[in-house]
Structures are given as C-alpha cells and as structure tokens.
Amino acid sequence: MGAIAAAVAIGLAALGASFGVSRIVSQTLEGISRQPELKNDLQTTMFIGVALVEAVPIIAVVVAFMVM
C-alpha cells in the first residue's frame, strides 16, 4: 500500500508542477509580447519561478521514498 501511495504522490506532484510551469511560461511569453524591452528581466524571473515550482516534485520523490 505504501508503494501505491508513493506513486500517487509523485504523479500528482508532477502533474501540478507541469501545470505550474506551463502557466509561468505562458504568462512570461505574454508579458514579453506586450513589453519586449523587459525580456531579460522577465526571463530571469521566469527561470526563478520554474526552478521553485520544479522543486516540489523533487521534494515529493524524497518524501515518497521516506514513506516506503
């Protein structure tokens, strides 16, 4: 039962992160299309946001392995 719970936790974390990353990137592209002069600032902020969102599935994997 622990293996199933770990798999579900990892899957949901990956699903949530994929939605978060897609939202961050789409909003960044929208911002760049509106104000192209802010491209570098927006990209820097986007990369920081993506890195923070991608940390969630990594933490979920660690917690899932601890549960098992």
Side-chain angles (χ1 to χ4, degrees):
M1 211 52 159
I4 294 173
V8 169
I10 293 170
L12 289 176
L15 184 67
S18 67
F19 285 131
V21 168
S22 66
R23 178 99 172 137
I24 290 170
V25 172
S26 70
Q27 293 298 314
T28 301
L29 289 175
E30 185 178 332
I32 290 171
S33 68
R34 289 183 183 195
Q35 293 184 332
E37 67 273 5
L38 294 178
K39 178 185 176 195
N40 292 332
D41 294 335
L42 291 173
Q43 277 185 337
T44 302
T45 305
M46 179 192 72
F47 289 138
I48 293 170
V50 167
L52 291 173
V53 168
E54 284 296 323
V56 172
I58 295 169
I59 293 170
V61 169
V62 170
V63 170
F65 281 137
M66 290 174 57
V67 167
M68 290 178 56

